[in-house]
Amino acid sequence: MGWREMLVPADAVFEWIRPGMSVFLSTGAAEPRTLVKHLMKAHSAKLQDLELIQIVSFADAISLKNLQSQKFRLKTFFSGWVADESITAGHVDLIPCYLSRISELLEKRKVRVDIVFVQITPPDKDGYCSLGVSVDVARLAMEQANLVVGEINTRVPRTLGDTFVQISAFDMLVQSDEPPVYFERWPDEPVYDLIAANIEPLIEDQSCIAFSMGPLFESLGRALTGKRHLGVHSPFFSDALMDLVKSGAVTNRYKELFRRKSITSYACGTAELFQWLDQNPAVEFQPVDKVFDPLSIGRNPRFVAIISARSADITGRIALHTGLGNVASGPAEVLAFLNGAQISEGGYTVFGLPSRSRQGMANITTSIEGLKNRVDFREAVDYVVTEFGVASLKGLTLRERAQALIEIAHPDDRVGLIAAAKREAILYRDQIYLAESIRYFPSQINECHQFKGGVEIRFRPIRPSDEEEMRRLFYRFSDESVYYRYFSSLKAMPHTRMQTYVNVDWSDVMSIVGVAGKPGLGIIVAEARYLVNPDGRQAEIAFVVDEAYQSLGISTYLFKLLVRLARERGIKGFWADVLASNAAMMKVFHKGGLPVLTDMEDGVYHVTIPFDPVNDKGGAPCLSVNS
């Protein structure tokens, strides 16, 4: 018998259903809409007290109104999308479970399946259908069920991987008269472009990434196109990820699991995405027990879990999105990828969010207590990123975390956060914060340069959270270096002294640090600053460079950078007092390409460096990063 002889009207399927049965529905964009819509409209007395099981429900055909009746009860493993409000209202049952362990529940019949409705492609010449854009546990559910019904949809892409099922595995077939569930692309939002620009330097070439859907990933899909040899191990495949693959940034060459293939369980997006996925050998669909398994994820080196967050508190706890638009960021789903990143060699997690919500409410807060979808495992949160920068939380104390997170909060929220953190004894009671200075903060200064021996140093403005790093730099100096810099034999740099140094009044001070190492993990190896004279025309200049990084040209680069920045602010020249024995500092000034006027008194050079009329081009901008 040919497969067309297996076709029946949707209503004919329901003759096999009895009250109390459990019906498994394929998930998300693969929801069998024709069967479900007919089921929702049917009035047969046999269609009572039915249990519908769906891994991820987008509630396209299963409406809240239907669920309020006594005919149907939906069980789901995911609390996102509109299922969230239905769960809260008591009309949907949530089964808390790691997605990688759902297969075990089915195999042991802890979750019983009597009937399966799945969306499939028409069979090929050898009788094989594809499960299309949703694999999850459909095949296993089919093996457990007494009745398997395939809804054939000619617009479903024939995807590759563990997706093929013989037509003989079906008892009945229904021809779909509905298009698949499509999702329009999110509109561009400038704030997410800024967040993505801050995330981009954190993603190294050859990393393996997990993507999802939403405005953050639309921006990231564009921001990461300059990367090389990325891998993809992602729960959801979206249009943004399609664009990233098409750009050539993704080769999957350095993955350990499914090398040279992008791996996913679900696709959600436009008709263009579905057409691109059709028989595309670069993308493989695998069941959730492989895609969501932390051990499988962790086999990929440099795995980066990128997660869109709703809110973060100043200790590093995260609240995820809820409700409509939340496709793939429930706690169980996120935890699988957090754990996978922790197992992965060189892996880490990145949470991105705007500093404020669309309603203007602060997204960086003192506490996320009371919010749903919380990630309370602060240990698993490596980076938090807003449009104002990157907070690298690895190895930081709660006090240091608070400082780092407050710095990437909205500027208008920082004073309140500082005050609240002091009340909670998270920050020191004497913590300085120069609120009026923030409008002068030179956020545009994000530069990098490669020095002798291939040493790359990134330069940015100093921040209050640099206090500990600056203290460590101080204690690495020899007594001679300390004396050259401070003109005294300092032996200690306690909090009370160092915090006044790193809390800069940007209206009359410019302070730039040089950072060596990977973004977010680097150490401060240099600092240069100038302090404007009361007349506003001249400024005193000073440098410190870690002794392990001297003679590379860092001081010369910093000098030229400060000259450029000073000129932009209308300053006419620098001055400094330099010990006569500090030949290295004098050499830096002479290499700067500007006149160096000196006056010696008591073994100290008083150096004056006028800017005009000498032309100096200063440093060259490079990567935009906050680290």
Side-chain angles (χ1 to χ4, degrees):
M1 181 175 67
W3 69 268
R4 295 186 185 280
E5 283 69 46
M6 297 171 64
L7 289 170
V8 299
D11 291 339
V13 174
F14 306 149
E15 295 299 318
W16 296 84
I17 298 178
R18 299 291 181 268
M21 281 187 166
S22 297
V23 183
F24 177 91
L25 308 175
S26 54
T27 279
E31 186 175 90
R33 300 171 82 188
T34 297
L35 279 165
V36 173
K37 286 186 176 182
H38 278 77
L39 181 63
M40 294 298 108
K41 295 176 182 178
H43 298 290
S44 171
K46 292 185 292 186
L47 303 181
Q48 299 291 325
D49 192 29
L50 297 182
E51 183 178 77
L52 307 180
I53 301 171
Q54 198 167 34
I55 306 300
V56 180
S57 177
F58 292 155
D60 175 70
I62 307 172
S63 68
L64 181 59
K65 180 179 179 181
N66 294 131
L67 294 172
Q68 288 173 335
S69 73
Q70 299 300 310
K71 293 171 58 177
F72 309 108
R73 186 90 185 166
L74 176 64
K75 282 186 176 180
T76 184
F77 293 82
F78 177 72
S79 61
W81 209 247
V82 296
D84 180 66
E85 62 181 82
S86 302
I87 292 167
T88 303
H91 303 303
V92 172
D93 290 325
L94 175 67
I95 304 175
C97 180
Y98 293 116
L99 266 66
S100 61
R101 303 193 68 178
I102 296 175
S103 301
E104 181 182 339
L105 296 181
L106 289 171
E107 288 174 339
K108 295 182 177 179
R109 299 190 181 275
K110 293 291 290 183
V111 173
R112 182 172 58 90
V113 174
D114 299 308
I115 300 173
V116 169
F117 294 167
V118 293
Q119 181 178 252
I120 56 175
T121 65
D124 62 14
K125 60 182 180 62
D126 296 315
Y128 283 95
C129 305
S130 171
L131 293 170
V133 293
S134 174
V135 176
D136 54 44
V137 293
R139 186 191 302 279
L140 183 57
M142 291 169 60
E143 294 172 359
Q144 305 296 317
N146 298 317
L147 179 67
V148 180
V149 183
E151 180 173 304
I152 291 184
N153 191 324
T154 57
R155 283 175 280 192
V156 171
R158 191 175 184 84
T159 59
L160 306 182
D162 192 10
T163 68
F164 293 104
V165 183
Q166 263 281 357
I167 195 70
S168 59
F170 296 93
D171 299 298
M172 296 180 178
L173 299 175
V174 170
Q175 187 75 53
S176 174
D177 53 12
E178 297 277 350
V181 179
Y182 294 128
F183 289 87
E184 294 301 317
R185 299 188 70 154
W186 269 258
D188 292 345
E189 296 187 45
V191 67
Y192 284 103
D193 288 340
L194 295 174
I195 297 168
N198 285 332
I199 292 176
E200 183 270 332
L202 301 177
I203 312 301
E204 298 180 87
D205 291 345
Q206 303 177 20
S207 295
C208 181
I209 59 175
F211 245 53
S212 187
M213 296 174 62
L216 173 62
F217 298 97
E218 290 288 338
S219 295
L220 273 173
R222 296 187 292 269
L224 298 180
T225 55
K227 299 297 179 182
R228 290 172 53 82
H229 299 305
L230 294 178
V232 172
H233 185 119
S234 184
F236 282 79
F237 212 98
S238 64
D239 286 79
L241 192 48
M242 171 186 69
D243 290 346
L244 185 60
V245 174
K246 289 168 69 174
S247 76
V250 175
T251 65
N252 294 292
R253 181 182 297 179
Y254 294 94
K255 289 172 61 180
E256 287 297 324
L257 189 66
F258 297 103
R259 185 168 292 180
R260 299 190 182 276
K261 303 288 184 181
S262 293
I263 300 302
T264 190
S265 278
Y266 304 102
C268 292
T270 64
E272 179 188 357
L273 171 66
F274 283 22
Q275 291 167 7
W276 181 80
L277 287 170
D278 188 55
Q279 301 192 75
N280 190 330
V283 183
E284 281 204 8
F285 285 72
Q286 294 291 332
V288 292
D289 59 354
K290 292 182 180 178
V291 175
F292 287 84
D293 175 35
L295 293 176
S296 297
I297 296 168
R299 286 177 57 186
N300 296 303
R302 296 177 298 279
F303 178 80
V304 185
I306 307 170
I307 299 158
S308 179
R310 172 189 177 192
S311 183
D313 69 23
I314 58 175
T315 69
R317 294 188 304 168
I318 302 292
L320 304 172
H321 291 286
T322 60
L324 187 63
N326 175 29
V327 178
S329 59
E333 297 76 53
V334 165
L335 193 57
F337 285 85
L338 295 186
N339 289 337
Q342 300 303 308
I343 296 170
S344 167
E345 181 180 354
Y348 48 91
T349 59
V350 179
F351 290 84
L353 71 164
S355 63
R356 283 184 167 178
S357 69
R358 289 186 176 90
Q359 294 73 37
M361 303 297 291
N363 283 337
I364 305 290
T365 63
T366 54
S367 176
I368 59 169
E369 288 295 332
L371 296 182
K372 295 191 298 183
N373 273 16
R374 293 201 310 270
V375 177
D376 291 327
F377 304 101
R378 293 181 297 214
E379 302 82 359
V381 180
D382 295 322
Y383 298 97
V384 179
V385 184
T386 73
E387 70 273 28
F388 291 103
V390 177
S392 175
L393 305 185
K394 290 183 178 181
L396 299 190
T397 66
L398 291 179
R399 178 177 62 83
E400 293 164 345
R401 281 173 168 244
Q403 283 186 306
L405 286 160
I406 289 170
E407 286 173 358
I408 65 168
H410 192 281
D412 293 342
D413 298 329
R414 295 176 192 174
V415 172
L417 289 170
I418 291 282
K422 287 182 179 181
R423 288 194 302 270
E424 297 294 326
I426 297 174
L427 293 181
Y428 292 132
R429 297 301 174 95
D430 67 347
Q431 182 67 50
I432 298 171
Y433 183 67
L434 305 177
E436 294 302 315
S437 172
I438 194 64
R439 63 193 179 100
Y440 298 105
F441 182 78
S443 58
Q444 78 281 5
I445 304 171
N446 294 286
E447 308 190 357
C448 71
H449 187 77
Q450 193 171 86
F451 295 93
K452 297 175 184 176
V455 176
E456 186 173 87
I457 305 295
R458 289 166 287 116
F459 300 93
R460 59 162 175 79
I462 201 169
R463 299 191 294 243
S465 62
D466 290 327
E467 180 180 335
E468 293 303 315
E469 268 297 309
M470 287 298 296
R471 286 179 67 249
R472 296 186 186 105
L473 177 61
F474 172 83
Y475 288 117
R476 292 199 298 271
F477 287 137
S478 66
D479 291 342
E480 181 183 49
S481 294
V482 170
Y483 195 80
Y484 280 161
R485 172 61 181 86
Y486 299 102
F487 275 46
S488 63
S489 299
L490 291 176
K491 297 298 182 183
M493 187 63 71
H495 159 72
T496 52
R497 183 164 187 154
M498 183 54 79
Q499 78 154 336
T500 63
Y501 193 83
V502 298
N503 282 272
V504 168
D505 183 350
W506 295 103
S507 64
D508 61 12
V509 177
M510 178 65 68
S511 175
I512 305 299
V513 294
V515 183
K518 296 179 180 179
L521 297 176
I523 61 169
I524 293 177
V525 299
E527 190 260 347
R529 66 175 51 200
Y530 67 71
L531 173 62
V532 181
N533 289 0
D535 64 7
R537 296 179 57 81
Q538 304 292 318
E540 182 182 10
I541 188 171
F543 299 86
V544 285
V545 177
D546 190 319
E547 290 168 19
Y549 287 81
Q550 291 178 3
S551 301
L552 298 178
I554 295 173
S555 292
T556 302
Y557 185 90
L558 279 168
F559 175 69
K560 292 183 177 182
L561 176 57
L562 287 185
V563 168
R564 189 187 80 203
L565 297 173
R567 279 177 162 162
E568 290 173 358
R569 292 194 174 190
I571 296 168
K572 302 302 181 182
F574 285 152
W575 67 270
D577 287 332
V578 183
L579 290 170
S581 59
N582 192 354
M585 192 73 265
M586 294 301 297
K587 184 177 181 181
V588 168
F589 290 149
H590 284 291
K591 289 174 66 177
L594 294 172
V596 180
L597 311 179
T598 61
D599 183 18
M600 168 76 78
E601 184 177 348
D602 297 329
V604 176
Y605 284 115
H606 180 75
V607 181
T608 303
I609 305 172
F611 295 161
D612 295 326
V614 178
N615 179 35
D616 179 73
K617 296 182 180 180
C622 189
L623 298 176
S624 174
V625 64
N626 294 271
S627 58

